[in-house]
Amino acid sequence: MKALTDFYHSLWHQYTRITPQARDINQMFINLGEVPVNDHVAFRTFSHSPISLEKLEPMLLILGFIYFDEYHFHQKHLYARSYIHPLDNTKVFLSHILWQELSEESQYILKPYISKIDKETAPDFTSGRLWPMPSFSEYEALKKESEYAAWLLAWGLRANHFTIYINALNKYSDIEKVVSLLKNQGFVLNAQGGEIKGSARQGLRQTSTMADEYSLEFSDGKKTCISSCYYEFAQRFNPEDTSSNEGLYQGFVVSSANDIFESTSIDNK
């Protein structure tokens, strides 16, 4: 389990450096007498690359994760898989963008950067950007078609978000209470598709903050704040008996996840 603990620690350390709200929210729950437990951690990457989902998956399997399910997001040109661990509550949601399905303009921007990923060096999930920093004009042009791709090009391979497992909380074991608490403390929530996404009958209800903003300097000298990462919250149910704590759903709901992706879109604040 030490390898797994070290894995989460390195991810969390890198994540909170550019996502101070996650550290603040985590501490807020601790101050309220809660012990936050992580439900899942998510990653974004590029298909048809040395860091595609298929290339990264073996590293998860070595850590003891087991493939659970797959998900298709056709409108966003994304494919994802989820993984569970027999000895740990935290799941992994790993997605990649099918960048060769994007417009010629977007492919033209992405291809030179993806080609610079060293095929001989084994990446890890904290590798960050494995290519040169793009220009701000490239970032903006790409964002018009795919905010996911623009975010990934700027930030690289790292945890996109962590998730508090609401079921493990005591006083705040209901998602409505969590939403009320976050809003009362001034945190901005992702309202795309509603602040609370999913249903008990689907087995999963989720909410998330909007991403923090962090200053980056692009290759053309433009220094500006862009979306970094966000914090998510998940309450799980038994779809057959929503009052039961047994047989809780372990997967993800495509329609909800599709809206959760928008948490890194500053335009939605």
Side-chain angles (χ1 to χ4, degrees):
M1 288 292 287
K2 183 180 184 302
L4 195 61
T5 300
D6 291 345
F7 173 66
Y8 293 140
H9 178 78
S10 61
L11 291 172
W12 179 258
H13 178 72
Q14 183 189 49
Y15 165 74
T16 53
R17 277 183 52 242
I18 63 170
T19 320
Q21 62 166 294
R23 188 170 53 245
D24 293 343
I25 291 171
N26 201 66
Q27 188 61 51
M28 176 186 72
F29 277 106
I30 292 172
N31 293 344
L32 290 168
E34 301 284 7
V35 180
V37 173
N38 190 50
D39 177 83
H40 69 271
V41 61
F43 303 91
R44 298 178 178 185
T45 191
F46 290 117
S47 69
H48 301 91
S49 79
I51 56 169
S52 67
L53 185 154
E54 294 85 359
K55 299 290 179 62
L56 296 174
E57 182 177 77
M59 289 187 284
L60 295 175
L61 302 182
I62 288 172
L63 286 170
F65 286 96
I66 300 168
Y67 165 78
F68 183 77
D69 205 355
E70 65 176 1
Y71 313 89
H72 298 268
F73 303 87
H74 299 292
Q75 187 176 5
K76 283 184 166 61
H77 305 286
L78 304 177
Y79 171 73
R81 292 178 186 171
S82 63
Y83 304 83
I84 58 175
H85 200 288
L87 301 177
D88 192 82
N89 181 74
T90 300
K91 292 160 277 292
V92 167
F93 185 85
L94 177 56
S95 63
H96 68 194
I97 184 164
L98 304 166
W99 65 276
Q100 293 178 332
E101 293 182 3
L102 300 179
S103 66
E104 289 186 7
E105 179 185 4
S106 291
Q107 290 185 51
Y108 181 81
I109 294 171
L110 290 170
K111 189 173 182 178
Y113 292 103
I114 292 173
S115 68
K116 286 183 170 61
I117 302 173
D118 187 353
K119 298 180 179 61
E120 304 303 320
T121 302
D124 63 43
F125 286 93
T126 58
S127 292
R129 197 173 52 253
L130 295 164
W131 48 84
M133 188 68 179
S135 68
F136 184 67
S137 59
E138 289 174 319
Y139 170 81
E140 285 288 280
L142 192 57
K143 193 169 70 170
K144 291 177 181 177
E145 180 174 11
S146 173
E147 192 279 333
Y148 178 114
W151 185 95
L152 178 56
L153 188 62
W155 289 111
L157 186 55
R158 60 170 65 229
N160 171 259
H161 66 268
F162 274 74
T163 309
I164 286 182
Y165 180 46
I166 293 175
N167 301 60
L169 301 175
N170 291 313
K171 292 179 288 186
Y172 295 91
S173 59
D174 182 85
I175 195 168
E176 278 86 2
K177 291 181 180 179
V178 171
V179 166
S180 178
L181 174 65
L182 292 169
K183 293 173 73 173
N184 285 341
Q185 294 299 314
F187 294 102
V188 180
L189 301 184
N190 174 357
Q192 182 77 21
E195 289 178 340
I196 298 176
K197 308 167 206 331
S199 68
R201 285 298 176 191
Q202 289 175 304
L204 178 63
R205 300 180 79 199
Q206 299 164 270
T207 190
S208 65
T209 63
M210 291 302 292
D212 270 320
E213 294 180 30
Y214 197 87
S215 180
L216 285 182
E217 184 172 353
F218 290 83
S219 64
D220 52 4
K222 175 72 172 180
K223 190 172 184 179
T224 188
C225 287
I226 67 169
S227 289
S228 56
C229 306
Y230 58 94
Y231 213 0
E232 190 180 322
F233 310 83
Q235 183 177 7
R236 294 185 178 274
F237 301 84
N238 179 337
E240 302 300 322
D241 180 2
T242 57
S243 64
S244 173
N245 289 323
E246 300 295 327
L248 299 181
Y249 178 63
Q250 296 300 301
F252 297 87
V253 178
V254 168
S255 58
S256 298
N258 193 65
D259 291 331
I260 292 285
F261 279 124
E262 298 299 316
S263 300
T264 52
S265 177
I266 291 176
D267 294 339
N268 285 346
K269 280 193 178 183

